Amino acid sequence: MTNMVTYAAVVHNTRPARIDERPRIPRIGDASPGARHPETGDLHEMTTHDVEKSVDDFKMYDSGTMAEPNEFWTLLRETAPVHRVDEGLGYTLVSRYADVQDVLRDPDTFRNGVARFFDKGSPHPDSPAVAAVMADAAPYREVLGFGDGEAHARHRRMVRAGFTTRRVRQLEGFVSTVVDDLLDELVTGEPVDFVKQFCKRLPILLIGEIMGVEKEREHDVYRWATSLMARAAAPPETEDDALRIARDVVEFHQYVYKAVADRRESPRDDFLSELVANSEGIDEHELAHVCAQLILAGADTTIAWLGSIFDLLLAHPDQLAELYADRSLIPNAMEEALRLQSVIKTIYRATSRDAEVAGQDIPADSLVIPLLGSANRDDAVFPDAATFDIHRPNVRKHMAFGFGTHLCAGIELARAEARISLTKVLERTSALSRVEGEPLPKYVPDFTIRGIDRLPMILHPAER
Ligand code: HEM
């Protein structure tokens, strides 16, 4: 965090426009706060009165903005498409589709290696007690999604080599079995919490399978995944939370050291053995961080995607009925849910040199956040972008899986999880409905992930 002062100075010296210089546009709405958008199921993006708002009325770490960022993002796209904020480490937000793509297309200028800003992978400084715990974690390495150039290419080749066609097919078979098992456990005709009982379990069991963890340790994998994600997200609320998170991270790294050593000694027919076999020139610490990233990248993301798919379909019964009638619409429907609620809100890039985006200067050594979720709601690319439409012809242009060199390495798996889940739920049911009297699910105020944490739902059994 030694760069904090230097970076803050850079930010203050180069602030692009003063608050009162920016255009203010009226936001006119007639819904009460907290009401749902009738089409998207989103919390209402308008406010009670005819209020003028500007981007400076929003704080990124405010829980309201984290839970419902769309009003902020719309204002950014309309009035301040390249916008510097001083919160956290100080970030330049890029919000329009074309500009986000420009940033991601130029990995030499906009680099993934952000370690000089982050303290061992966390955007928040560790207290001495947390640092003492973290001393037993794998020494920090910039790997894969936090790496650049040749090192990134090496890590990516290794991970992709693990996802051979045969291995992906094997993993898809595992997904199919787990989906069946989980759905067998769900009662039909009565309320269930679909997020808790299904969405949160499938990706964790799959990641466990990838990491070679026994099925009985599902809760450990969930705890590791949550803590790895928490360390990279908003500041922990209490020192106790920070310590608990650090202990989980250490426990996971120690697990990986041991699992990797086991596979070196006696390889099995599994993903981790494949990873180890392809890890020439990559040391144990890098491997531990690669595995951490697989958990980080594969768990909360897919949990959130699954939740959004079903929440949006419940909010749009007409489109759900179309899916029951025509299963070929499934791939488009699930991509549309991902476009609309793009699960990953925050990715980081650091400028290696002075840059320009949409005519605005971004100095070297700036932290940039290309807002994938905002790009995916850009009307310039997706007409009527705030509307859920399973027939949207260009939905696959969404950037929820990123774009360019760092495009999601687990894309086939994530898609398999969504496709198999949706297909099997439709096969086994005749209808899905909300639970009367239950409040509508809300999006969790998280800095990185956009997802709901509960989904009361009734699965009505298919007639046999
Ligand atoms: C809905 C599910 C998922 C979403 C929305 C998602 C999204 C993303 C995004 C946006 C990136 C790019 C980050 C950047 O450019 O900085 C990424 C990278 C990555 N994802 Fe995913 N992901 C998902 C599921 C998965 C799964 C299931 C895995 C693996 C099991 C995975 C593994 C990775 C890895 C390893 C990277 C880093 C790739 C690189 O830097 O070359 N993801 N993902």
Side-chain angles (χ1 to χ4, degrees), residues 20 71 91 95 143 203 221 293-294 297 333 339 359 419 444:
D20 50 8
E71 186 184 5
Y91 309 109
S95 50
V143 300
V221 181
Q293 247 179 66
L294 285 170
R339 178 197 68 79
R419 178 175 36 79
V444 176

Side-chain angles (χ1 to χ4, degrees), residues 112 144-145 152 156 297-298 301 305 344 349 372 400-402 406 408-410:
N112 279 45
L144 207 58
H152 164 252
R156 194 172 164 97
T301 48
W305 186 16
I344 296 196
R349 295 293 187 265
L372 301 175
F401 286 117
H406 289 272
C408 177

Side-chain angles (χ1 to χ4, degrees), residues 212-387:
V213 189
E214 305 75 38
K215 208 174 161 214
E216 303 72 54
R217 296 190 66 188
E218 182 188 343
H219 291 292
D220 289 337
V221 181
Y222 184 70
R223 184 165 50 79
W224 294 337
T226 316
S227 291
L228 285 161
M229 184 56 89
R231 217 181 130 67
E237 281 184 8
T238 66
E239 175 75 355
D240 277 355
D241 286 344
L243 282 167
R244 179 182 43 74
I245 289 166
R247 283 190 201 107
D248 288 346
V249 170
V250 170
E251 189 182 310
F252 174 68
H253 286 174
Q254 296 298 335
Y255 165 80
V256 174
Y257 283 144
K258 189 172 171 316
V260 166
D262 284 353
R263 298 307 191 282
R264 275 203 205 293
E265 205 164 301
S266 34
R268 301 182 201 166
D269 183 20
D270 67 6
F271 175 86
L272 200 56
S273 302
E274 202 114 43
L275 205 66
V276 171
N278 286 296
S279 64
E280 207 179 312
I282 293 168
D283 72 23
E284 309 302 292
H285 308 316
E286 287 175 305
L287 259 177
H289 283 288
V290 166
C291 291
Q293 247 179 66
L294 285 170
I295 285 207
L296 201 67
D300 274 2
T301 48
T302 321
I303 294 172
W305 186 16
L306 293 171
S308 291
I309 291 173
F310 287 94
D311 186 42
L312 282 164
L313 289 174
L314 287 172
H316 299 85
D318 47 337
Q319 299 194 51
L320 177 57
E322 282 191 72
L323 282 187
Y324 273 113
D326 180 0
R327 306 289 156 84
S328 73
L329 293 169
I330 287 176
N332 226 56
M334 64 194 220
E335 296 299 326
E336 173 66 350
L338 188 54
R339 178 197 68 79
L340 193 66
Q341 308 297 17
S342 326
V343 156
I344 296 196
K345 290 187 285 190
T346 319
I347 59 172
Y348 300 95
R349 295 293 187 265
T351 45
S352 60
R353 50 190 171 227
D354 290 348
E356 195 195 293
V357 175
Q360 190 154 324
D361 293 336
I362 304 178
D365 281 324
S366 298
L367 264 182
V368 175
I369 299 185
L371 292 166
L372 301 175
S374 168
N376 288 339
R377 284 189 175 225
D378 189 335
D379 287 315
V381 178
F382 304 106
D384 202 5
T387 299

Side-chain angles (χ1 to χ4, degrees), residues 31-47:
S32 49
R36 285 251 157 181
H37 189 290
E39 286 299 320
T40 62
D42 279 355
L43 278 179
H44 226 287
E45 292 165 20
M46 305 288 171
T47 45

